[in-house]
């Protein structure tokens, strides 16, 4: 090997060593950068996971609260429907009383509503045909026993009521229909009915 070859070989060897050193340094730097970015990626990942979990927890809580509120509303609506149905059933039971009991009830209502004892008694179309005369007679007997004027008459007309009686002198009506009586009692009796149904 001549001198030029030796020098060339040495320059090549030095260059290879320098390239290897640069490569090692670059690989180390790359590894450090990769490690830093990997840590940053991990941190970002866990931040996103934590934020997502918090958002999911909050959404779940909101959904639970909304569902609980909706459930309370539905229960309240159902309870109101059940109370209303109890009054409907009460009216139906009154309408289905045995004939004599129903006549006596209407006569008592009429006698209690009398101002002069000379009013007309107005019934539903059904009650007028079935019970009107007898209710009028029994109500007059009640007024006689009470020592007041007993001159009720059965009105020629009928009214669109489910049952009960309307006492009228032609100017003033005293509404003793079942609808009116139940409506009047409803506000007072609703808490009692609710307690019976739900306690």
């Amino acid at each position: 090997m001549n001198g030029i070859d030796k020098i060339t070989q040495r320059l090549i060897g030095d260059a290879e060593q320098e390239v290897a050193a640069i490569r090692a340094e670059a690989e180390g730097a790359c590894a450090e950068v990769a490690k830093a970015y990997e840590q940053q990626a991990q941190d970002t990942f866990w931040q996103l996971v934590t934020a997502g979990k918090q958002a999911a927890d909050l959404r779940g809580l909101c959904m639970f609260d909304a569902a609980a509120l909706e459930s309370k509303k539905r229960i309240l609506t159902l309870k109101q429907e059940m109370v209303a149905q109890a009054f409907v059933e009460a009216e139906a039971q009154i309408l289905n009383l045995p004939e004599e009991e129903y006549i006596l009830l209407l006569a008592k209502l009429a006698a209690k509503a009398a101002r002069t004892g000379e009013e007309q008694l107005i019934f539903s179309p059904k009650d007028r045909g079935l019970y009107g005369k007898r209710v009028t007679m029994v109500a007059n007997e009640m007024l006689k026993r009470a020592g007041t004027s007993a001159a009720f008459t059965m009105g020629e007309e009928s009214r669109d009521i489910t049952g009960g009686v309307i006492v009228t002198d032609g100017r003033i009506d005293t509404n003793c229909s079942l609808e009116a009586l139940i409506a009047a009692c409803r506000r007072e009796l609703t808490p009692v009915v609710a307690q019976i149904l739900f306690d």
Side-chain angles (χ1 to χ4, degrees), residues 163-182:
V165 62
I166 296 172
V167 180
T168 183
D169 64 5
R171 293 173 295 123
I172 300 171
D173 289 357
T174 303
N175 190 346
C176 299
S177 67
L178 294 183
E179 299 99 306
L181 295 172
I182 288 172

Side-chain angles (χ1 to χ4, degrees), residues 1-11:
M1 216 193 273
N2 63 24
I4 291 180
D5 287 340
K6 284 185 184 178
I7 290 172
T8 303
Q9 284 295 334
R10 188 166 179 183
L11 286 173

Side-chain angles (χ1 to χ4, degrees), residues 148-176:
T148 61
S149 178
F152 276 150
T153 56
M154 184 173 71
E156 295 296 319
E157 64 173 318
S158 59
R159 298 270 178 94
D160 187 19
I161 57 177
T162 57
V165 62
I166 296 172
V167 180
T168 183
D169 64 5
R171 293 173 295 123
I172 300 171
D173 289 357
T174 303
N175 190 346
C176 299

Side-chain angles (χ1 to χ4, degrees), residues 47-62:
Q47 284 173 356
L48 291 173
V49 167
T50 302
K53 183 179 181 314
Q54 288 173 343
D57 288 347
L58 183 60
R59 181 170 168 76
L61 187 61
C62 289

